[in-house]
Amino acid sequence: MNKLKARWGIDSNWQVFIILIVFAITGSTSAKLAVPLCNFLGIYEASSHWAVYWSARIFLIFPIYQVLLVSFGWIFGQFQFFWAFEKKMLSRIGFAKLFQ
């Protein structure tokens, strides 16, 4: 637990608990929201090829997750942590120019 707190730059076990809860809620919610969004776009699991359906769903989950992570972080009072986490993650995948 201490290694995680040191790596994330946080002080209390309570913050670790809240951050892990935010990650769990965000992941579940983004996966749930991708299904109706796929259906809205006309991509159904039953009628589409599995590769098309899952590619579209994963493609949709990524931006939903990014927005929800910062939003739920704000709701739970950890906006600064999740904003820094978001900037670090997006810069690692090639969006560093957005934050300069």
Side-chain angles (χ1 to χ4, degrees):
M1 188 72 86
N2 290 330
K3 284 185 180 181
L4 194 58
K5 289 192 300 190
R7 181 177 179 192
W8 285 349
I10 55 177
D11 302 323
S12 69
N13 291 337
W14 179 248
Q15 280 183 292
V16 173
F17 176 73
I18 294 296
I19 288 168
L20 293 177
I21 292 294
V22 169
F23 278 125
I25 292 171
T26 303
S28 300
T29 306
S30 62
K32 284 285 191 187
L33 289 176
V35 174
L37 197 53
C38 278
N39 293 343
F40 176 75
L41 296 173
I43 304 169
Y44 300 98
E45 186 174 14
S47 62
S48 299
H49 190 271
W50 67 269
V52 172
Y53 175 77
W54 284 103
S55 297
R57 190 160 173 204
I58 290 170
F59 183 73
L60 291 171
I61 286 174
F62 182 73
I64 294 170
Y65 184 84
Q66 306 311 314
V67 171
L68 289 178
L69 189 62
V70 175
S71 301
F72 285 132
W74 176 75
I75 291 169
F76 283 88
Q78 297 296 320
F79 177 79
Q80 293 299 326
F81 172 82
F82 285 105
W83 183 243
F85 185 86
E86 193 70 34
K87 289 191 294 188
K88 188 177 186 181
M89 182 172 48
L90 289 175
S91 66
R92 284 184 178 172
I93 61 172
F95 292 108
K97 291 183 181 182
L98 293 174
F99 302 111
Q100 291 178 352

